[in-house]
């Protein structure tokens, strides 16, 4: 299938309009219509319901969307790897939730690049569901996640246990404000456990889905929130943050996921490096 068909389909799905899709793709509306018609003929199903207000996905179109994304990703990866082939013997695409990059995976990537400069690395941050889908697609070589669902044909290996602790930047003798708590979103498991432990904090005044970057807010304002212990440890040691006594702790295992069928020469080096990086966290 022409990859432009998938790209055009995704743009119409995103904009909800053949006209807007044509503008964004810098092609004519008739070209957009012809591409969608050709795609529908290939699949044997209508993908959009047209109306004066725009274009809405049919059930078949909604099902096709994830496959269109996979097609575009595979093509983009092919283009990237071909362009890198002259300078690098291999390319590694790695994904993880945002919080696992700071203080862990970025250090590992730096060591990998230092030890093996001939391996190009592409790093991505995404929720576990997206990472799992990309592993299945083959557009991701390795993922590091909390409690993953094992994709078919992949190995799931435990790396370490991540402990989330409550920290605060409020003064010890200061009067605690009722609205100083921040909910930092660390994923579905954390959401569920946090709601059970703190039902009174289910609707805080500030909700941040920014991962470890959220700590900048705590360092600049008097507030409290949960963070991985490895991230807040240096700030606690310097007295910029403190851990309230008797606060609940949450622990989640961290795993790396990689294909069963793989290039042993490259993967063994990568896997050993990740194991060593995880061991240093202790």
């Amino acid at each position: 299938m022409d990859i432009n068909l998938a790209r055009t389909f995704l743009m119409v799905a995103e904009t909800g309009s053949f006209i807007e899709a044509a503008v964004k793709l810098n092609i004519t509306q008739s070209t957009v219509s012809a591409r969608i018609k050709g795609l529908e003929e290939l699949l044997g199903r209508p993908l959009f319901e047209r109306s004066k207000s725009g274009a809405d996905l049919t059930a078949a179109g909604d099902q096709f969307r994830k496959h269109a994304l996979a097609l575009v990703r595979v093509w983009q990866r092919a283009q990237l790897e071909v362009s890198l082939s002259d300078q690098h013997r291999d390319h590694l695409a790695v994904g993880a939730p945002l919080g696992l990059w700071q203080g862990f995976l970025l250090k590992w990537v730096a060591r990998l690049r230092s030890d093996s400069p001939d391996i190009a690395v592409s790093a991505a941050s995404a929720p576990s569901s997206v990472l799992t889908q990309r592993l299945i697609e083959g557009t991701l070589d390795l993922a590091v996640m909390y409690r993953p669902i094992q994709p078919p044909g992949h190995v799931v290996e435990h790396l370490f246990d991540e402990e989330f602790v409550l920290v605060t930047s409020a003064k010890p003798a200061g009067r605690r404000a009722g609205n100083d708590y921040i909910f930092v979103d660390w994923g579905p498991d954390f959401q569920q456990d946090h709601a059970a432990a703190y039902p009174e904090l289910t609707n805080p005044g500030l909700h941040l889905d920014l991962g470890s970057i959220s700590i900048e807010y705590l360092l600049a304002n008097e507030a409290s929130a949960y963070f991985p212990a490895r991230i807040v440890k240096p700030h606690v040691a310097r007295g910029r943050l403190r851990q309230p006594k008797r606060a609940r702790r949450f622990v989640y295992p961290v795993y790396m996921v990689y294909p069963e069928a793989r290039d042993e020469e490259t993967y063994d080096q990568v896997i050993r490096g990740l194991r060593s990086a995880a061991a240093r966290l202790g």
Side-chain angles (χ1 to χ4, degrees), residues 73 97 126-136 145 148-149 188:
R73 284 177 184 148
S128 294
S129 58
V130 174
L131 297 174
T132 301
Q133 180 61 36
R134 290 195 57 190
L135 285 166
I136 294 170
M145 297 182 277
I149 297 173

Side-chain angles (χ1 to χ4, degrees), residues 193-227:
D193 293 342
H194 183 277
Y198 300 105
E200 73 279 10
L201 296 176
T202 53
N203 294 300
L206 182 58
H207 182 290
L208 298 178
D209 188 10
L210 301 173
S212 52
I213 299 173
S214 307
I215 201 165
E216 294 182 14
Y217 187 94
L218 252 70
L219 296 174
N221 303 274
E222 292 193 6
S224 305
Y226 271 91
F227 285 91

Side-chain angles (χ1 to χ4, degrees), residues 5 63 90 113 120 134 188 215 230 239:
L5 298 185
Q63 283 294 318
D90 213 335
R113 292 288 299 135
R134 290 195 57 190
I215 201 165
R230 61 184 170 78

Side-chain angles (χ1 to χ4, degrees), residues 86-98:
D86 290 340
Q87 297 105 358
H88 301 89
R89 69 174 173 87
D90 213 335
H91 171 253
L92 184 73
V94 186
L98 192 59

Side-chain angles (χ1 to χ4, degrees), residues 112-174:
L112 176 64
R113 292 288 299 135
S114 176
D115 294 343
S116 304
D118 57 343
I119 298 179
V121 178
S122 296
S125 171
S128 294
S129 58
V130 174
L131 297 174
T132 301
Q133 180 61 36
R134 290 195 57 190
L135 285 166
I136 294 170
E137 292 169 4
T139 58
L140 206 61
D141 297 307
L142 183 144
V144 179
M145 297 182 277
Y146 301 106
R147 296 180 180 172
I149 297 173
Q150 184 165 3
H154 287 73
V155 176
V156 175
E157 180 178 330
H158 179 260
L159 282 174
F160 65 95
D161 290 332
E162 181 90 283
E163 183 180 48
F164 287 82
V165 297
L166 181 67
V167 291
T168 181
S169 55
K171 296 179 178 62

Side-chain angles (χ1 to χ4, degrees), residues 10-258:
L10 290 170
M11 187 58 71
V12 175
E14 178 185 333
T15 61
S17 166
F18 280 54
I19 298 173
E20 288 187 40
V23 172
K24 290 198 172 186
L25 291 171
N26 196 28
I27 56 178
T28 65
Q29 183 183 345
S30 61
T31 301
V32 171
S33 298
R35 288 180 179 177
I36 296 302
K37 182 180 179 182
L39 184 56
E40 290 177 328
E41 289 175 353
L42 281 172
L43 295 171
R45 293 287 186 280
L47 301 175
F48 293 98
E49 291 180 359
R50 284 83 157 173
S51 66
K52 290 182 179 179
S53 60
D56 297 317
L57 286 171
T58 63
D62 193 47
Q63 283 294 318
F64 180 66
R65 192 206 302 249
K66 63 183 178 183
H67 300 293
L69 283 168
L71 287 166
V72 172
R73 284 177 184 148
V74 169
W75 176 244
Q76 289 172 337
R77 172 156 187 181
Q79 289 179 304
L80 175 63
E81 293 195 349
V82 169
S83 68
L84 292 170
S85 61
D86 290 340
Q87 297 105 358
H88 301 89
R89 69 174 173 87
D90 213 335
H91 171 253
L92 184 73
V94 186
L98 192 59
L100 288 170
W101 284 106
Q102 182 180 354
F104 175 49
L105 288 176
L106 282 177
K107 290 181 179 179
W108 163 73
V109 168
R111 185 178 291 269
L112 176 64
R113 292 288 299 135
S114 176
D115 294 343
S116 304
D118 57 343
I119 298 179
V121 178
S122 296
S125 171
S128 294
S129 58
V130 174
L131 297 174
T132 301
Q133 180 61 36
R134 290 195 57 190
L135 285 166
I136 294 170
E137 292 169 4
T139 58
L140 206 61
D141 297 307
L142 183 144
V144 179
M145 297 182 277
Y146 301 106
R147 296 180 180 172
I149 297 173
Q150 184 165 3
H154 287 73
V155 176
V156 175
E157 180 178 330
H158 179 260
L159 282 174
F160 65 95
D161 290 332
E162 181 90 283
E163 183 180 48
F164 287 82
V165 297
L166 181 67
V167 291
T168 181
S169 55
K171 296 179 178 62
R175 184 178 178 182
R176 182 176 175 181
N179 61 350
D180 71 344
Y181 183 75
I182 305 166
F183 180 80
V184 180
D185 193 343
W186 297 105
D189 288 336
F190 179 80
Q191 292 171 13
Q192 183 176 345
D193 293 342
H194 183 277
Y198 300 105
E200 73 279 10
L201 296 176
T202 53
N203 294 300
L206 182 58
H207 182 290
L208 298 178
D209 188 10
L210 301 173
S212 52
I213 299 173
S214 307
I215 201 165
E216 294 182 14
Y217 187 94
L218 252 70
L219 296 174
N221 303 274
E222 292 193 6
S224 305
Y226 271 91
F227 285 91
R230 61 184 170 78
I231 292 176
V232 300
K233 186 177 180 179
H235 300 294
V236 172
R238 289 196 295 267
R240 298 195 66 188
L241 297 175
R242 60 186 178 85
Q243 291 181 230
K245 295 180 180 179
R246 296 186 296 277
R248 173 76 181 272
R249 295 173 180 238
F250 303 100
V251 179
Y252 302 104
V254 176
Y255 297 85
M256 60 176 165
V257 187
Y258 51 90

